[in-house]
Amino acid sequence: MSPHAELVSRLRAAWLSGKTRPTEYRLAQLEALGRFLDEKKQDILEATAADMRKATQLDSAFIRKDPYGVVLIIGPWNYPINLLLVPLIGAIAAGNCVVMKPSEITRNVERLVAETLPRYLDEDCFAVVTAGVEETTRLLENKFDYIFFTGSSSVGRIVMTAAAKHLTPVTLELGGKNPCYVSDSCDVQNVARRVAWGRFFNAGQTCVAPDYVLCSAEMQEKLLPALREVITEFYGPNPRESPDFGRIVGDRQFQRVQALLHSGHTAIGGQTDAEERYIAPTVLVEVQQDDPVMQEEIFGPILPILTVASVDDAIAFINARERPLVLYVFSSRKEVVKRVLERTSSGGFCANDTIMHMTIPSLPFGGIGQSGLGRYHGRSSFETFSHQRSALLRGAGRESLNTPRYPPYAPHRLPLLRAATETKRRATCLLL
């Protein structure tokens, strides 16, 4: 292992241990940084003088929310209207011009948006483009002032690479394998209803759906019959005939999800129909960590269950993988929920329910690491599409007040300059 890799590994282990999370720890480290600035003040001044020869209270300072300019929004196919228009609302509110690219996979929605939406919006400032993979690649060659993308991590990398050529900021709303830890202390029937609803809604084609369940072997024995009962309650004895159960969006997606059914053992469901692109609500048990169903986001109506011995084992399992878009935990014990929340990292967190956290406008929605970059929903959408422009308005007169900052510098000027610019804390320091 290289020295740098060893260093990063050591720091990551410290972070995973939870050492940096307590407020007291953070305050202690900030105070230590303050002591460094105080105790090494003279050394700092001498060093900056040697390197660079560097030895406002009457102004108006504020942050102005400016639009970025011309924004590109690329929407996904699983919720093709919602996930195109919700970011559009934020972009319009912030004052941008927008190019929208709906998914080509949902062709009917693509055609509807392309043909009708421009009739409602100012065509000078808002446009819809229809494009497949090749056309989208060429579209990304253009310089945009901001790009908002919702989709897979693999395509997100392509978008970010294209944006980097123009130093264009991005928001990437991606996916991931969202864990769902079910402790032994919970109402099994409630868990079954809420997990089944979150997993099988839209035939599982939801980025925030619980992707797999972690629980004890004892809980699995209780959860399986409860899930079987709930699936029948929701979709009837034959979900294929239910008007409330969806289908996989396309043949390629159907074949990919169907192949995941070979992982573990099918405890519930498993039936498929390629012509209808139907996959029954399915629960898998005896799933191994290296099974195909655990190597990618499922994005279909399949729920694997893996057994763990304790909440600490569940936390270790989660932390050994990429950080998910959302993490779910079910427990009637607050200390269990708190332990999982404090010792893990994810884009979002939801206790004793699924999906509902993203329906609250005051909660920013987004991922972290492989599950995404940036936030939106509610006011956060406006913030995302706004450049926070720092502004200082200074009067043209009162030049005598500026005299201390001009060279030649003399020791007797330093106290006055410090008083005007220092950062207030228990001890003070001056950074030039």
Side-chain angles (χ1 to χ4, degrees), residues 15-27:
W15 180 78
L16 287 172
S17 73
K19 185 177 182 179
T20 63
R21 296 184 183 258
T23 303
E24 297 79 9
Y25 173 87
R26 305 182 199 188
L27 289 173

Side-chain angles (χ1 to χ4, degrees), residues 96-122:
N96 298 280
C97 293
V98 184
V99 174
M100 292 160 277
K101 210 296 285 184
S103 174
E104 72 280 8
I105 294 176
T106 45
R107 297 190 179 279
N108 293 313
V109 172
E110 179 191 45
R111 183 170 59 252
L112 172 68
V113 170
E115 293 178 356
T116 63
L117 185 58
R119 302 175 192 170
Y120 293 83
L121 299 175
D122 182 352

Side-chain angles (χ1 to χ4, degrees), residues 213-227:
V213 166
L214 297 171
C215 66
S216 67
E218 294 77 14
M219 175 52 66
Q220 177 180 284
E221 289 186 9
K222 300 175 184 177
L223 194 55
L224 282 174
L227 285 168

